[in-house]
Amino acid sequence: MIIKILGSGAGGGFPQWNCNGPVSRRAWSGNPDAKPRTQASMAVSADGETWALLNASPDLRQQIAATPELHPRADGPLRNSPIRAVVLSNGDVDAVTGLLSMRERQPFTVYASARIHATLRANSIFNVLDPAYVDRVELPLGKTMRLADHGRDLGLDVEAFSVPGKIALYLEDQAAGPNLGTREGDTIGLAVTEQATGQRLYFIPSCATVDAPLAARLKGASLVLFDGTLFTDDELIKQGLTDKTGQRMGHISISGPQGSLAALRSLDVARKVYIHLNTSNPALIDTSPERAEIARAGWEVAFDGMEIRL
Ligand code: MLT
Ligand code: MN
């Protein structure tokens, strides 16, 4: 399985357009230790010819331009794309709005939970995806299904599973109580398996806590790409950027007794990679003590253009 990290930043990217915090400032000033990152998305392929996107970020056009594997084939028809499917892990702006760049009469298939499909249906701007070309397929939770586009198998299986999380920011319902109206299917993890080899990756860009079912699922995995939004739960508050904790945003922090470093420490995952890093996260800086702490724990930090083969 070939895996391309198209974008490794959280919603807003790095540096976020209006952020003048200390970490963003390093990137604005062009410091080579603070490499810019577009918003989180990956492309996966079994054959190197047909590709599935895991989330479609608002930076998709730029990400395609930077990835020759995703360009239209020179020997193909006048309209063509190697991207045959998009699999969505949540309904956040950074996960779905790249779909709007995928109009223009190109067949592909969108896979998402029933909840996320309902969100897309409720937003009429997504009608730019003409149903004559674009199929929308529901991912049942906890069941494996083959990824295919208009009957053509991509050689990949996907399983969507619930993870602790939150409804998309723009759908939060303050009147619904502390869970803000969150329901099952609002945040999912994706297991993608290459049919020919059985190689499997986990993509979990948004996750509020590692509960027992998630820990059991990840035990012994070959590759986990995991929510690296914040290094510490209160870093946005400490940096004076917002009054929100990571928990309020539905994101586990990297550090701390409840953090993901601790939660995955004894799960024997062969390769652990943080993705979806927020513009406030000091681990974005290559030379930071936080990055060194991550590396000592056996984790990597994804960067745009990173390629992984399984
Ligand atoms: C998140 O991951 O919390 C969202 O991307 C936030 C947002 O939509 O800005
Ligand atoms: Mn996000």
Side-chain angles (χ1 to χ4, degrees), residues 11 92-94 169 206 249 251 276:
D92 278 321
V93 170
D94 57 334
L169 179 62
S206 190
M249 294 164 64
H251 293 291
H276 191 279

Side-chain angles (χ1 to χ4, degrees), residues 115-135:
R115 281 284 281 178
I116 299 167
H117 275 307
T119 298
L120 299 182
R121 275 197 305 275
N123 282 274
S124 55
I125 194 168
F126 288 102
N127 294 345
V128 294
L129 300 179
D130 183 344
Y133 297 91
V134 179
D135 282 350

Side-chain angles (χ1 to χ4, degrees), residues 3-301:
I3 300 147
K4 305 281 290 188
I5 307 294
L6 304 181
S8 48
F14 177 57
Q16 181 179 298
W17 73 285
N18 61 347
C19 186
N20 193 27
V23 181
S24 301
R25 185 40 62 198
R26 292 279 278 261
W28 289 126
S29 67
N31 189 311
D33 293 338
K35 290 183 199 63
R37 282 168 164 82
T38 61
Q39 296 168 79
S41 170
M42 300 174 27
V44 294
S45 178
D47 57 10
E49 293 295 320
T50 56
W51 292 79
L53 301 184
L54 308 185
N55 288 346
S57 99
D59 301 319
L60 181 60
R61 187 189 168 282
Q62 177 186 344
Q63 294 168 342
I64 291 173
T67 312
E69 292 89 336
L70 302 182
H71 294 183
R73 295 283 171 265
D75 57 358
L78 284 172
R79 283 182 198 269
N80 81 81
S81 168
I83 301 172
R84 301 296 161 78
V86 180
V87 190
L88 301 174
S89 72
N90 61 71
D92 278 321
V93 170
D94 57 334
V96 304
T97 52
L99 289 171
L100 301 176
S101 299
M102 298 179 75
R103 57 198 189 279
E104 316 296 2
R105 300 154 67 97
Q106 182 63 42
F108 68 98
T109 302
V110 181
Y111 290 86
S113 70
R115 281 284 281 178
I116 299 167
H117 275 307
T119 298
L120 299 182
R121 275 197 305 275
N123 282 274
S124 55
I125 194 168
F126 288 102
N127 294 345
V128 294
L129 300 179
D130 183 344
Y133 297 91
V134 179
D135 282 350
R136 301 188 190 199
V137 175
E138 182 185 329
L139 284 175
L141 299 179
K143 295 210 172 70
T144 298
M145 77 188 291
R146 303 191 137 221
L147 282 184
D149 175 40
H150 295 82
R152 184 173 161 179
D153 211 305
L154 302 188
L156 300 168
D157 286 340
V158 66
E159 181 193 350
F161 52 91
S162 259
V163 297
K166 182 181 74 60
I167 196 167
L169 179 62
Y170 60 92
L171 294 172
E172 287 182 0
D173 177 4
Q174 305 297 334
N179 86 351
L180 306 164
T182 302
R183 288 208 249 145
E184 183 161 71
D186 283 331
T187 304
I188 58 178
L190 300 170
V192 180
T193 309
E194 187 178 37
Q195 287 155 7
T197 61
Q199 293 288 355
R200 176 174 302 157
L201 70 82
Y202 286 93
F203 178 59
I204 309 171
S206 190
C207 181
T209 180
V210 179
D211 59 9
L214 180 57
R217 185 184 279 280
L218 298 183
K219 186 144 185 67
S222 304
L223 174 63
V224 175
L225 295 120
F226 195 78
D227 185 340
T229 309
L230 302 180
F231 192 80
T232 43
D233 190 54
D234 61 356
E235 77 191 29
L236 288 164
I237 300 169
K238 285 245 172 74
Q239 293 178 29
L241 294 171
T242 72
D243 57 0
K244 280 189 188 172
T245 60
Q247 279 303 300
R248 169 62 186 78
M249 294 164 64
H251 293 291
I252 189 173
S253 56
I254 292 176
S255 65
Q258 311 298 326
S260 53
L261 286 178
L264 272 76
R265 186 161 284 138
S266 55
L267 297 184
D268 300 318
V269 176
R271 199 161 174 191
K272 298 176 281 193
V273 182
Y274 283 118
I275 193 166
H276 191 279
L277 281 84
N278 193 57
T279 196
S280 58
N281 190 331
L284 283 163
I285 299 172
D286 296 341
T287 51
S288 65
E290 291 83 359
R291 174 70 71 82
E293 184 179 340
I294 285 174
R296 274 197 306 277
W299 284 78
E300 298 164 72
V301 171

